């Protein structure tokens, strides 16, 4: 019969050897699986590092393009503001010139009206409607017409200056937004560069 020892059947040498060989084969298979998993893990880690580096580099390139574009737009806005400011100054000079022309006509108008008034206030028999009176009436009419045209021109110029001032205010607000965006993008770029240095 079978030799029984404390606790269970006794393994025969060939069974013992077979079990040991089976365990060794299973161990070899497990070791090979572990090696494949470690290799796969290394490949995944290396791929993640490459992807992360490429993503950081792409982000830096995108930030650089954004900074360039925002800087270009800022320069364009600066130029536009300078142009509008120059145009406002020119319009203000032109309006001042028109105002001076208008004011210069008030004295001659008052004089012509005064002379016309003197002529029309003559005693009855002396009142004569002649070429001199018609000339004074024409002078008064021409001066009043010129003053009205100059005042309308001043109003138009004032409206144009107001529109230019509004345009300049919008440009300046847009410029402030660009300056703020530029500062944020520069801060992001600095943080990204710092991250890239630390991740190497």
């Amino acid at each position: 019969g079978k030799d029984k020892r404390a606790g269970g059947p006794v393994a025969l040498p060939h069974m013992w050897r077979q079990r040991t060989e089976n365990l060794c084969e299973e161990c070899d298979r497990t070791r090979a699986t572990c090696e494949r998993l470690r290799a796969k893990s290394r490949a995944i880690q290396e791929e993640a590092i490459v992807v992360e580096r490429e993503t950081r580099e792409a982000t830096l390139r995108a930030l650089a393009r954004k900074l360039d574009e925002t800087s270009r737009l800022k320069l364009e806005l600066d130029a536009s503001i300078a142009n509008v400011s120059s145009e406002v100054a020119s319009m203000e000079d032109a309006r001042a010139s028109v105002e001076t022309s208008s004011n210069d006509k008030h004295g001659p108008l008052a004089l012509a009206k005064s002379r016309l008034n003197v002529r029309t206030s003559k005693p009855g028999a002396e009142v004569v409607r002649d070429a001199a009176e018609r000339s004074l009436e024409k002078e008064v009419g021409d001066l009043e017409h010129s003053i009205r045209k100059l005042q309308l021109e001043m109003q138009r110029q004032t409206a144009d200056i107001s529109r230019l001032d509004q345009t300049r205010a919008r440009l300046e607000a847009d410029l402030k937004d660009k300056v703020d965006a530029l500062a944020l993008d520069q801060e992001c770029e600095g943080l990204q560069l710092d991250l890239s240095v630390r991740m190497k």
Side-chain angles (χ1 to χ4, degrees):
K2 287 186 175 179
D3 184 13
K4 298 236 178 198
R5 304 220 175 154
V10 173
L12 298 174
H14 73 280
M15 291 171 63
W16 175 79
R17 189 173 39 255
Q18 185 65 43
R19 189 173 45 210
T20 301
E21 288 172 1
N22 288 346
L23 283 174
C24 286
E25 287 173 9
E26 185 180 331
C27 179
D28 288 343
R29 284 193 304 274
T30 302
R31 190 176 330 111
T33 300
C34 287
E35 284 175 9
R36 282 194 308 277
L37 287 175
R38 279 194 304 273
K40 190 173 185 179
S41 174
R42 276 192 305 276
I44 289 171
Q45 286 174 332
E46 288 168 6
E47 180 184 350
I49 289 168
V50 168
V51 166
E52 189 177 330
R53 186 182 68 247
E54 288 172 353
T55 301
R56 280 194 313 272
E57 289 169 357
T59 301
L60 280 171
R61 285 191 303 273
L63 280 169
R65 282 192 303 273
K66 178 74 166 100
L67 284 168
D68 288 345
E69 176 69 9
T70 304
S71 294
R72 186 185 60 75
L73 290 172
K74 180 187 171 298
L75 289 174
E76 288 177 12
L77 283 168
D78 284 333
S80 293
I81 289 169
N83 289 340
V84 169
S85 295
S86 175
E87 186 62 26
V88 166
S90 295
M91 292 290 294
E92 286 173 343
D93 289 346
R95 182 178 59 184
S97 175
V98 169
E99 187 174 13
T100 299
S101 294
S102 176
N103 291 338
D104 289 349
K105 298 205 178 323
H106 286 288
L109 176 62
L111 181 60
K113 281 183 174 180
S114 171
R115 289 191 322 224
L116 185 60
N117 193 28
V118 165
R119 284 193 55 94
T120 57
S121 64
K122 288 183 179 178
E126 294 295 318
V127 174
V128 178
R129 180 123 169 90
D130 58 5
E133 188 172 329
R134 283 191 296 278
S135 180
L136 282 171
E137 287 172 346
K138 183 175 179 343
E139 184 181 354
V140 167
D142 288 349
L143 286 167
E144 287 176 339
H145 179 72
S146 290
I147 289 171
R148 276 194 304 276
K149 280 179 64 175
L150 290 169
Q151 287 173 336
L152 286 173
E153 180 62 16
M154 279 177 35
Q155 290 171 357
R156 186 191 63 77
Q157 289 174 335
T158 298
D160 288 347
I161 289 170
S162 178
R163 278 192 295 278
L164 285 170
D165 282 337
Q166 290 169 359
T167 298
R168 180 171 48 193
R170 285 193 305 273
L171 288 170
E172 287 170 346
D174 194 22
L175 177 63
K176 182 191 178 307
D177 291 345
K178 295 290 181 279
V179 168
D180 291 347
L182 198 56
L184 288 173
D185 287 342
Q186 287 168 335
E187 184 177 343
C188 287
E189 183 183 47
L191 291 171
Q192 192 67 30
L193 284 169
D194 184 50
L195 177 65
S196 293
V197 168
R198 283 190 283 124
M199 295 299 282
K200 284 189 176 180

